[in-house]
């Protein structure tokens, strides 16, 4: 089980982060880079080092998703940089255009620190996973992939979730070895 989750963000802090993400994308359209953020301008818990993902959708279809799995900077900085990157640097999509901005829906997922899972087989791992709650990071050598907990909405069965995660990491869906490592995290997710 992940360590105690950090205090949840209140509604005004969530709105602040969503507005910041949108401002950073607009700034990217105008200036070609993420919105510069001064962390000291924000409340203390938004300045804490936290990891976040920013997911963009248009019309219910994924348009970009970029984030960090480990806390590397203040949360406000992470959100601004990841929003820009999701809009303009996700290699799966062409850069966002100005007409798309009005139709864009933004979701932010703030991650808890990840915790390693200890297991001796794929079956044991499958019994440990909590559908709908767990985000997973799977690693095997240089192969690495993650699924946020929101992926459970499209892959609700643990075995299918794990098979697709292995594929995302560049492994065969039926791949298994005793070198596979998995870490679990939770998210606090909110959207416009």
């Amino acid at each position: 089980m992940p360590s105690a989750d950090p205090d949840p963000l209140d509604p005004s802090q969530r709105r602040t982060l969503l507005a910041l993400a949108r401002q950073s994308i607009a700034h990217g359209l105008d200036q070609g880079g993420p919105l510069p953020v001064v962390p000291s301008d924000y409340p203390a818990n938004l300045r804490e080092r936290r990891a976040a993902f920013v997911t963009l959708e248009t019309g219910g279809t994924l348009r970009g998703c970029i984030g960090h799995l480990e806390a590397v900077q203040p949360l406000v900085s992470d959100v601004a940089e990841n929003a820009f990157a999701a809009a303009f640097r996700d290699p799966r999509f062409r850069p966002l255009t100005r007409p798309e901005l009005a139709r864009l829906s933004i979701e932010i997922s703030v991650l808890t620190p990840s915790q390693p899972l200890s297991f001796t087989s794929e079956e044991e791992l499958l019994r440990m996973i909590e559908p709908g709650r767990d985000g997973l990071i799977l690693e095997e050598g240089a192969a690495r992939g993650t699924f946020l907990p929101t992926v459970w909405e499209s892959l609700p069965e643990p075995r299918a979730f794990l098979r697709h995660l292995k594929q995302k990491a560049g492994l065969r869906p039926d791949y298994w070895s005793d070198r596979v490592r998995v870490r679990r995290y939770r998210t606090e997710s909110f959207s416009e």
Side-chain angles (χ1 to χ4, degrees):
M1 182 73 73
S3 59
D5 295 346
D7 289 335
L9 301 170
D10 69 37
S12 70
Q13 293 163 339
R14 289 177 169 201
R15 286 190 300 274
T16 295
L17 291 175
L18 289 165
L20 177 63
R22 187 166 287 279
Q23 291 164 1
S24 189
I25 294 167
H27 188 269
L29 285 166
D30 294 335
Q31 304 295 322
L35 181 72
V37 174
V38 179
S40 60
D41 291 347
Y42 294 88
N45 65 336
L46 298 184
R47 295 190 310 257
E48 292 176 6
R49 288 171 60 104
R50 304 271 311 270
F53 271 74
V54 176
T55 303
L56 309 177
E57 291 187 348
T58 52
T61 301
L62 182 66
R63 182 59 180 84
C65 182
I66 298 283
H68 291 111
L69 292 170
E70 305 295 333
V72 295
Q73 61 190 336
L75 180 58
V76 289
S77 302
D78 211 52
V79 166
E81 288 181 15
N82 291 333
F84 171 81
F88 303 105
R89 294 192 177 143
D90 187 325
R92 299 170 292 180
F93 303 96
R94 60 179 170 59
L96 189 84
T97 62
R98 189 168 304 281
E100 290 178 288
L101 183 58
R103 299 188 320 269
L104 199 65
S105 173
I106 300 172
E107 179 179 69
I108 297 172
S109 297
V110 181
L111 282 61
T112 62
S114 64
Q115 303 294 320
L117 296 177
S118 180
F119 49 87
T120 57
S121 69
E122 184 171 11
E123 292 305 316
E124 185 179 1
L125 172 61
L126 287 167
R127 288 191 299 272
M128 299 173 82
I129 298 173
E130 292 186 50
R133 296 198 64 197
D134 288 342
L136 297 180
I137 304 164
L138 183 139
E139 297 173 294
E140 170 23 321
R144 182 179 188 200
T146 189
F147 275 161
L148 295 170
T150 54
V151 175
W152 288 106
E153 295 168 15
S154 58
L155 293 169
E157 197 277 314
R159 190 171 304 278
F161 187 92
L162 186 59
R163 289 174 65 86
H164 281 83
L165 178 55
K166 287 189 269 187
Q167 285 181 291
K168 185 177 181 188
L171 303 170
R172 293 184 327 273
D174 61 347
Y175 180 85
W176 191 256
S177 88
D178 60 1
R179 296 181 309 275
V180 169
R181 300 289 174 251
V182 176
R183 291 181 288 150
R184 167 180 21 211
Y185 58 88
R186 300 280 165 79
T187 61
E188 177 182 353
S189 297
F190 46 95
S191 57
E192 297 176 313

